[in-house]
């Protein structure tokens, strides 16, 4: 169960749920409640599918490009750190789009790169390579899907959360998430360097 909870919490914070929620609310300002709910479901399904593909086929990507796991750890950790800094500063690209048919926003930009950014992709690939048995892979996949479903529920209930927390509240939570991400990215880089140097 320790693997489940650690993977769940790690993936939940890496996907910057409160930032995703604030972007979701921004691009659905003029949408009806039913449109928001339909879009939330589409985004959740897209993120689950993309994340599982990255998790399961990460090892093959390493093999094709001849990349070592520790080199990827350092690269992914660095990208994640940049995302964390942008999140804290409030400069993360919100991918502003014109309001047309909001259902078109489900995959791009809401799934990629808002929810699954470069840092998240890197962490998913590293995580997939780290699972050394079918049992741990299955448990990790379940934790990942649960984390995404919680984010999906947040998006589905976005109107209620917006009324309760407000824009300022979401901004504060987003910055706190950024701090957690910065610490997590540092840990990933340190692990990569430590293993690379054989310490």
């Amino acid at each position: 169960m320790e693997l489940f909870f650690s993977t769940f919490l790690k993936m939940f914070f890496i996907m910057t749920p409160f930032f995703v929620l604030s972007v979701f609310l921004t691009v659905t300002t003029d949408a009806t409640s039913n449109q928001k709910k339909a879009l939330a479901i589409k985004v959740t399904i897209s993120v689950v599918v993309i994340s599982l593909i990255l998790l399961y086929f990460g090892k093959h990507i390493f093999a094709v490009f001849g990349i070592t796991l520790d080199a990827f750890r350092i690269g992914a950790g660095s990208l994640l750190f940049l995302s964390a800094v942008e999140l804290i500063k409030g400069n993360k690209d919100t991918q502003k789009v014109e309001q047309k048919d909001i259902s078109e926003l489900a995959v791009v930009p809401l799934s990629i790169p808002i929810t699954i950014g470069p840092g998240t992709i890197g962490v998913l690939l590293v995580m997939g390579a780290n699972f050394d048995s079918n049992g741990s892979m299955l448990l990790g996949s379940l934790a990942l899907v649960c984390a995404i479903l919680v984010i999906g529920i947040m998006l589905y209930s976005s109107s209620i959360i917006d009324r309760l927390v407000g824009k300022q509240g979401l901004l504060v939570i987003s910055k706190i998430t950024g701090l957690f991400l910065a610490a997590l990215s540092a840990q990933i880089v340190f692990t990569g360097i430590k293993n690379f140097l054989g310490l």
Side-chain angles (χ1 to χ4, degrees), residues 42-54:
K42 284 184 180 177
V43 170
T44 307
I45 292 168
S46 300
V47 173
V48 167
V49 171
I50 295 164
S51 298
L52 288 177
I53 288 170
L54 289 168

Side-chain angles (χ1 to χ4, degrees), residues 46-126:
S46 300
V47 173
V48 167
V49 171
I50 295 164
S51 298
L52 288 177
I53 288 170
L54 289 168
L55 188 71
Y56 278 90
F57 296 101
K59 288 179 183 177
H60 304 294
I61 293 168
F62 283 134
V64 168
F65 291 102
I67 303 167
T68 66
L69 179 57
D70 293 315
F72 205 89
R73 273 197 181 105
I74 296 166
S78 304
L79 279 174
L80 191 60
F81 184 76
L82 291 174
S83 297
V85 170
E86 286 170 355
L87 197 60
I88 293 166
K89 287 167 68 180
N91 293 335
K92 193 169 178 181
D93 188 7
T94 56
Q95 298 287 322
K96 289 179 182 175
V97 287
E98 291 179 18
Q99 279 298 134
K100 292 178 183 174
D101 179 9
I102 63 161
S103 64
E104 294 174 3
L105 310 176
V107 178
V108 179
L110 289 173
S111 295
I112 298 175
I114 301 296
T115 311
I116 306 174
T120 310
I121 291 169
V123 171
L124 282 168
L125 291 174
V126 170

Side-chain angles (χ1 to χ4, degrees), residues 24 35-45 152 155-157:
F24 184 87
Q35 284 177 318
K36 285 182 182 179
K37 287 176 180 177
L39 182 61
I41 292 167
K42 284 184 180 177
V43 170
T44 307
I45 292 168
L155 297 182
Y156 194 81
S157 316

Side-chain angles (χ1 to χ4, degrees), residues 135-158:
S136 61
M137 181 63 97
L138 190 64
L139 202 60
S141 303
L142 186 63
L144 172 63
V145 171
C146 286
I148 296 167
L149 287 178
V150 171
I151 296 170
I153 291 165
M154 286 171 63
L155 297 182
Y156 194 81
S157 316
S158 59

